[in-house]
Amino acid sequence: MNRGQAQFSQRARERRAELVAHPMYRQLLTLDDLRRFMESHVFAVWDFMSLLKRLQQLLTTVTVPWVPALSPRVSRFINQLVLDEESDSDGLGSYASHFEIYRRSMLEVGADTLHIDAVVRSIQNVGSWRPELVPEPARSFVRSTFGLLERGQAHEVAAAFAFGREDAIPDMFRALIAALDHQNPGLLKHIRYYLERHIGVDETEHTPMAKAMLAELCGDDEQRWLEATLALDDAVEARLGLWDGILVRVSRQRSSTRLVAVAAPPSARTASIRPVRGAR
């Protein structure tokens, strides 16, 4: 391992620790908190696919006439990743992208898909995303991703893709899902499947391959490793900003709910706190 790669690896460990330690995770306590989280996090699930597709454009051959890719090893990794992410087994006997599985899980728990659906429809109709359709805090996060996609070199995109994404979701989030699933049997079936497939495969298969891909792209070029480190920092800062925004949104929703409960007459207050499985 050369000096540039060693410095990058150390930085990646430090930044991942920051993501895992973010206070947002400790504030996700209820099914309603999970809904608010998913309504913003779905944009990270969606733009993850754009990162992957950009790598496919840069590192494999997707043009006609076809010519061999520069690195068959990297090409195979990217194409395998596209297969897994874009057309995985959906747990229902068919196939779906991990984004579609996530959206299905949002509907299952009663999260709002209005904004993400509007963005997808806009792209299908006009071929580009419209920032005004994306609510904060997700808008700033997506802008950061697409800035990298427009200007970044292959090793910079690969660094953000490999080290700033879903593998940084900690065990406490999985524990929350397990607890909520126990309280609401069957209601979180799809989000549990998403975590098992998308994040589980990331940890055991995709992240090691992504590290090998980045090592091949940067080689012994210390300038490339420096650029990869800066791209990693930008990706992690964007993710921390998203987590900060979700934490604010969850806290405001909780405060608003408490105010409504306090203001309500006793009979209404009793009704408002009665647990209803799957209710918004």
Short mmCIF file of all heavy atoms in Angstrom, two decimals, residues 234-267:
data_model
loop_
_atom_site.label_atom_id
_atom_site.label_comp_id
_atom_site.label_asym_id
_atom_site.label_seq_id
_atom_site.Cartn_x
_atom_site.Cartn_y
_atom_site.Cartn_z
N ASP A 234 -16.16 15.33 0.56
CA ASP A 234 -17.36 16.01 0.09
C ASP A 234 -18.59 15.12 0.23
O ASP A 234 -19.67 15.59 0.63
CB ASP A 234 -17.18 16.42 -1.38
CG ASP A 234 -16.23 17.59 -1.56
OD1 ASP A 234 -15.93 18.27 -0.55
OD2 ASP A 234 -15.78 17.82 -2.70
N ALA A 235 -18.44 13.83 -0.11
CA ALA A 235 -19.57 12.90 -0.01
C ALA A 235 -20.02 12.73 1.43
O ALA A 235 -21.23 12.71 1.72
CB ALA A 235 -19.18 11.55 -0.62
N VAL A 236 -19.07 12.61 2.34
CA VAL A 236 -19.42 12.43 3.75
C VAL A 236 -20.04 13.70 4.32
O VAL A 236 -21.02 13.64 5.08
CB VAL A 236 -18.19 12.00 4.57
CG1 VAL A 236 -18.51 12.00 6.07
CG2 VAL A 236 -17.72 10.61 4.13
N GLU A 237 -19.51 14.87 3.96
CA GLU A 237 -20.10 16.12 4.43
C GLU A 237 -21.54 16.26 3.96
O GLU A 237 -22.42 16.71 4.71
CB GLU A 237 -19.27 17.31 3.95
CG GLU A 237 -17.95 17.49 4.69
CD GLU A 237 -18.15 17.69 6.18
OE1 GLU A 237 -19.09 18.42 6.57
OE2 GLU A 237 -17.36 17.13 6.96
N ALA A 238 -21.79 15.86 2.70
CA ALA A 238 -23.16 15.92 2.18
C ALA A 238 -24.06 14.97 2.95
O ALA A 238 -25.22 15.30 3.28
CB ALA A 238 -23.17 15.57 0.69
N ARG A 239 -23.56 13.78 3.27
CA ARG A 239 -24.36 12.82 4.03
C ARG A 239 -24.61 13.31 5.45
O ARG A 239 -25.72 13.18 5.99
CB ARG A 239 -23.67 11.46 4.04
CG ARG A 239 -24.40 10.38 4.84
CD ARG A 239 -25.79 10.12 4.29
NE ARG A 239 -25.74 9.49 3.00
CZ ARG A 239 -26.15 8.25 2.74
NH1 ARG A 239 -26.62 7.51 3.72
NH2 ARG A 239 -26.13 7.77 1.52
N LEU A 240 -23.60 13.89 6.09
CA LEU A 240 -23.80 14.45 7.43
C LEU A 240 -24.84 15.57 7.40
O LEU A 240 -25.65 15.70 8.32
CB LEU A 240 -22.47 14.97 7.97
CG LEU A 240 -21.43 13.90 8.35
CD1 LEU A 240 -20.08 14.55 8.64
CD2 LEU A 240 -21.88 13.07 9.54
N GLY A 241 -24.80 16.39 6.35
CA GLY A 241 -25.80 17.44 6.21
C GLY A 241 -27.20 16.87 6.06
O GLY A 241 -28.17 17.42 6.61
N LEU A 242 -27.33 15.78 5.32
CA LEU A 242 -28.63 15.12 5.18
C LEU A 242 -29.10 14.60 6.53
O LEU A 242 -30.26 14.78 6.91
CB LEU A 242 -28.52 13.97 4.17
CG LEU A 242 -29.80 13.16 3.92
CD1 LEU A 242 -30.89 14.03 3.30
CD2 LEU A 242 -29.50 11.95 3.04
N TRP A 243 -28.20 13.95 7.27
CA TRP A 243 -28.56 13.44 8.59
C TRP A 243 -28.96 14.58 9.53
O TRP A 243 -29.92 14.46 10.30
CB TRP A 243 -27.40 12.66 9.18
CG TRP A 243 -27.17 11.26 8.74
CD1 TRP A 243 -26.19 10.44 9.23
CD2 TRP A 243 -27.86 10.45 7.77
NE1 TRP A 243 -26.23 9.20 8.61
CE2 TRP A 243 -27.26 9.19 7.73
CE3 TRP A 243 -28.94 10.70 6.93
CZ2 TRP A 243 -27.70 8.17 6.88
CZ3 TRP A 243 -29.38 9.69 6.07
CH2 TRP A 243 -28.77 8.45 6.05
N ASP A 244 -28.23 15.71 9.49
CA ASP A 244 -28.58 16.88 10.31
C ASP A 244 -30.01 17.34 9.99
O ASP A 244 -30.80 17.63 10.89
CB ASP A 244 -27.62 18.03 10.04
CG ASP A 244 -26.23 17.81 10.61
OD1 ASP A 244 -26.07 16.92 11.47
OD2 ASP A 244 -25.30 18.53 10.18
N GLY A 245 -30.31 17.44 8.69
CA GLY A 245 -31.63 17.91 8.27
C GLY A 245 -32.73 16.96 8.68
O GLY A 245 -33.82 17.40 9.10
N ILE A 246 -32.49 15.66 8.58
CA ILE A 246 -33.50 14.69 8.99
C ILE A 246 -33.72 14.77 10.50
O ILE A 246 -34.86 14.69 10.97
CB ILE A 246 -33.08 13.26 8.57
CG1 ILE A 246 -33.11 13.14 7.04
CG2 ILE A 246 -33.99 12.22 9.21
CD1 ILE A 246 -32.58 11.81 6.52
N LEU A 247 -32.65 14.95 11.26
CA LEU A 247 -32.77 15.08 12.71
C LEU A 247 -33.65 16.27 13.07
O LEU A 247 -34.53 16.18 13.93
CB LEU A 247 -31.38 15.22 13.35
CG LEU A 247 -31.34 15.43 14.86
CD1 LEU A 247 -32.04 14.30 15.59
CD2 LEU A 247 -29.89 15.57 15.33
N VAL A 248 -33.44 17.40 12.40
CA VAL A 248 -34.28 18.59 12.64
C VAL A 248 -35.73 18.29 12.29
O VAL A 248 -36.66 18.65 13.03
CB VAL A 248 -33.75 19.78 11.82
CG1 VAL A 248 -34.75 20.94 11.86
CG2 VAL A 248 -32.40 20.24 12.35
N ARG A 249 -35.94 17.63 11.16
CA ARG A 249 -37.31 17.33 10.71
C ARG A 249 -38.03 16.41 11.70
O ARG A 249 -39.20 16.63 12.03
CB ARG A 249 -37.26 16.70 9.33
CG ARG A 249 -38.60 16.52 8.67
CD ARG A 249 -38.48 16.27 7.18
NE ARG A 249 -39.80 16.19 6.59
CZ ARG A 249 -40.34 15.08 6.08
NH1 ARG A 249 -39.63 13.97 6.08
NH2 ARG A 249 -41.56 15.07 5.57
N VAL A 250 -37.33 15.39 12.16
CA VAL A 250 -37.92 14.46 13.12
C VAL A 250 -38.25 15.18 14.43
O VAL A 250 -39.32 15.00 15.01
CB VAL A 250 -36.97 13.27 13.38
CG1 VAL A 250 -37.40 12.47 14.60
CG2 VAL A 250 -36.92 12.37 12.14
N SER A 251 -37.34 16.04 14.90
CA SER A 251 -37.55 16.77 16.16
C SER A 251 -38.73 17.73 16.04
O SER A 251 -39.55 17.83 16.96
CB SER A 251 -36.28 17.53 16.54
OG SER A 251 -35.20 16.64 16.73
N ARG A 252 -38.83 18.42 14.91
CA ARG A 252 -39.95 19.35 14.72
C ARG A 252 -41.28 18.61 14.66
O ARG A 252 -42.28 19.07 15.23
CB ARG A 252 -39.74 20.16 13.44
CG ARG A 252 -38.68 21.24 13.56
CD ARG A 252 -38.48 21.94 12.22
NE ARG A 252 -37.52 23.04 12.33
CZ ARG A 252 -37.01 23.68 11.29
NH1 ARG A 252 -37.36 23.34 10.05
NH2 ARG A 252 -36.14 24.67 11.47
N GLN A 253 -41.30 17.47 13.97
CA GLN A 253 -42.53 16.69 13.88
C GLN A 253 -42.97 16.21 15.24
O GLN A 253 -44.14 16.25 15.60
CB GLN A 253 -42.30 15.48 12.95
CG GLN A 253 -43.48 14.53 12.84
CD GLN A 253 -44.64 15.12 12.06
OE1 GLN A 253 -44.43 16.01 11.23
NE2 GLN A 253 -45.84 14.64 12.32
N ARG A 254 -41.99 15.80 16.06
CA ARG A 254 -42.30 15.31 17.39
C ARG A 254 -42.84 16.44 18.27
O ARG A 254 -43.81 16.27 19.01
CB ARG A 254 -41.05 14.69 18.01
CG ARG A 254 -41.32 13.82 19.21
CD ARG A 254 -40.04 13.14 19.66
NE ARG A 254 -39.57 12.19 18.66
CZ ARG A 254 -38.31 11.79 18.57
NH1 ARG A 254 -37.40 12.28 19.39
NH2 ARG A 254 -37.95 10.91 17.66
N SER A 255 -42.22 17.63 18.17
CA SER A 255 -42.68 18.79 18.94
C SER A 255 -44.08 19.20 18.51
O SER A 255 -44.94 19.52 19.34
CB SER A 255 -41.72 19.95 18.75
OG SER A 255 -40.44 19.64 19.26
N SER A 256 -44.33 19.19 17.21
CA SER A 256 -45.65 19.55 16.70
C SER A 256 -46.71 18.58 17.18
O SER A 256 -47.81 18.97 17.57
CB SER A 256 -45.62 19.55 15.16
OG SER A 256 -46.90 19.79 14.63
N THR A 257 -46.38 17.30 17.21
CA THR A 257 -47.32 16.29 17.68
C THR A 257 -47.65 16.49 19.15
O THR A 257 -48.80 16.38 19.57
CB THR A 257 -46.75 14.88 17.45
OG1 THR A 257 -46.48 14.71 16.05
CG2 THR A 257 -47.72 13.81 17.92
N ARG A 258 -46.62 16.83 19.95
CA ARG A 258 -46.85 17.07 21.37
C ARG A 258 -47.75 18.29 21.59
O ARG A 258 -48.63 18.28 22.43
CB ARG A 258 -45.52 17.26 22.10
CG ARG A 258 -44.77 15.96 22.35
CD ARG A 258 -43.73 16.15 23.45
NE ARG A 258 -42.70 17.08 23.03
CZ ARG A 258 -41.54 16.72 22.48
NH1 ARG A 258 -41.30 15.44 22.28
NH2 ARG A 258 -40.64 17.61 22.14
N LEU A 259 -47.52 19.34 20.80
CA LEU A 259 -48.34 20.55 20.94
C LEU A 259 -49.79 20.26 20.60
O LEU A 259 -50.70 20.73 21.28
CB LEU A 259 -47.79 21.65 20.03
CG LEU A 259 -46.49 22.31 20.49
CD1 LEU A 259 -45.97 23.26 19.40
CD2 LEU A 259 -46.70 23.08 21.80
N VAL A 260 -50.02 19.50 19.55
CA VAL A 260 -51.38 19.15 19.17
C VAL A 260 -52.05 18.34 20.26
O VAL A 260 -53.20 18.55 20.63
CB VAL A 260 -51.40 18.37 17.83
CG1 VAL A 260 -52.77 17.79 17.56
CG2 VAL A 260 -50.97 19.28 16.69
N ALA A 261 -51.30 17.40 20.86
CA ALA A 261 -51.85 16.56 21.91
C ALA A 261 -52.21 17.38 23.14
O ALA A 261 -53.25 17.18 23.76
CB ALA A 261 -50.85 15.46 22.28
N VAL A 262 -51.36 18.35 23.51
CA VAL A 262 -51.62 19.19 24.68
C VAL A 262 -52.82 20.09 24.45
O VAL A 262 -53.63 20.33 25.33
CB VAL A 262 -50.36 20.03 25.01
CG1 VAL A 262 -50.69 21.09 26.04
CG2 VAL A 262 -49.25 19.13 25.51
N ALA A 263 -52.96 20.61 23.23
CA ALA A 263 -54.05 21.54 22.91
C ALA A 263 -55.39 20.86 22.77
O ALA A 263 -56.44 21.49 22.87
CB ALA A 263 -53.73 22.30 21.61
N ALA A 264 -55.40 19.55 22.52
CA ALA A 264 -56.65 18.84 22.27
C ALA A 264 -57.43 18.67 23.56
O ALA A 264 -56.86 18.58 24.65
CB ALA A 264 -56.35 17.48 21.66
N PRO A 265 -58.80 18.60 23.49
CA PRO A 265 -59.61 18.29 24.68
C PRO A 265 -59.30 16.88 25.15
O PRO A 265 -58.80 16.05 24.39
CB PRO A 265 -61.05 18.39 24.16
CG PRO A 265 -60.95 18.26 22.69
CD PRO A 265 -59.63 18.84 22.31
N PRO A 266 -59.59 16.58 26.42
CA PRO A 266 -59.20 15.28 26.98
C PRO A 266 -59.64 14.09 26.15
O PRO A 266 -58.88 13.15 25.96
CB PRO A 266 -59.87 15.29 28.37
CG PRO A 266 -59.98 16.74 28.71
CD PRO A 266 -60.22 17.46 27.40
N SER A 267 -60.86 14.10 25.66
CA SER A 267 -61.34 12.94 24.89
C SER A 267 -60.56 12.78 23.60
O SER A 267 -60.18 11.67 23.21
CB SER A 267 -62.82 13.11 24.57
OG SER A 267 -63.04 14.30 23.82
#
